[in-house]
Amino acid sequence: DIQMTQSPSSLSASVGDRVTITCRASQSITSYFNWYQQKPGKAPKLLIYAASSLQSGVPSRFSGSGSGTDFTLTISSLQPEDSATYYCQQSYTIPWTFGQGTKVEIK
Amino acid sequence: EVQLVESGGGLVKPGGSLRLSCAASGFTFSSYSMNWVRQAPGKGLEWVSSISSSSSYIYYADSVKGRFTISRDNAKNSLYLQMNSLRAEDTAVYYCARAFNANSFDYWGQGTLVTVSS
C-alpha cells in the first residue's frame, strides 16, 4: 500500500497568514493526488483534485502543487472559516489511502 | 443539487451484521463509480470499498475483504454496504462518496455511525 505522510500534524496561525501543508507519498503517484477539508462533525469536502485543480466553489486562496511524491496545499491568506483538519489522499492505486491529517487552528 | 444520504447505522454486537444504504439524488447515479469511506472516532479517513458504475469492478480494503460486500441498484439510485462478522475495530462513521476526476471524492453523505460493542 502507498503510505501518505502529512506534515505538520497541527499548526496554529493568524488570520491573514500564508499556511503550507505538505504531504509525501511512499512512491510516485504522478498527479493522482487530492486534498480535503473536514470540519468537526461534518463530512470531508474536496478542495483540490489532480494535485493542482481547484474544485468548483472552493475559494481561490486555496492552491495545490506537486507531482511524483511531494505535494503541497497552500492557503494564501488564512481566514477564520479555514479552521479545520486537512487530509491528503492518493488516488493512483487501490487501496486509496489518506494522510493522517493536519489540524489547522486560528490564533 | 447532488445529495447523498446514508442510513442503516446503529449498535451491533461483535460478530453481527448490518446493511448500510446510501440514497443518491441530483445526478445521474448510474454514470458514476461510488465509494464507502469510514472514520473511526477521533481518527482519520479510511477508504473501505469502491464499485464502478455498472458494478463491473469492485474493490475492498484488506481490512474488510471477505466480510463486507458493496453493491448498487441503479434503478433505485442506491448504494449499499453489507457488513458481516463485525468487529470492534469496525466502529466508525461510514460515508458514501461519489468518485470524481483523478479518482477523488467530490460529494459525500453526512455519514452514518456504526458502533460494534457488546
Side-chain angles (χ1 to χ4, degrees), chain A residues 36 38 43-44 55 87 91 94, chain B residues 39 59 100 102-105 108-109:
Chain A
Y36 300 87
Q38 187 180 33
Q55 172 65 344
Y87 292 94
S91 52
I94 282 177
Chain B
Q39 186 169 36
Y59 305 98
F100 184 55
N103 301 316
S104 61
F105 308 138
W108 299 62

Side-chain angles (χ1 to χ4, degrees), chain A residues 24-91:
Chain A
R24 174 164 288 177
S26 59
Q27 66 182 74
S28 177
I29 56 173
T30 63
S31 293
Y32 283 89
F33 179 85
N34 313 296
W35 287 104
Y36 300 87
Q37 176 193 66
Q38 187 180 33
K39 296 183 178 181
K42 301 294 187 181
K45 172 187 175 182
L46 178 64
L47 297 177
I48 303 286
Y49 64 92
S52 60
S53 295
L54 190 68
Q55 172 65 344
S56 176
V58 174
S60 58
R61 63 180 179 273
F62 291 93
S63 64
S65 64
S67 67
T69 60
D70 294 306
F71 301 86
T72 298
L73 173 70
T74 300
I75 309 173
S76 61
S77 178
L78 191 67
Q79 299 301 303
E81 61 267 31
D82 300 335
S83 178
T85 299
Y86 294 82
Y87 292 94
C88 63
Q89 179 224 348
Q90 67 82 17
S91 52

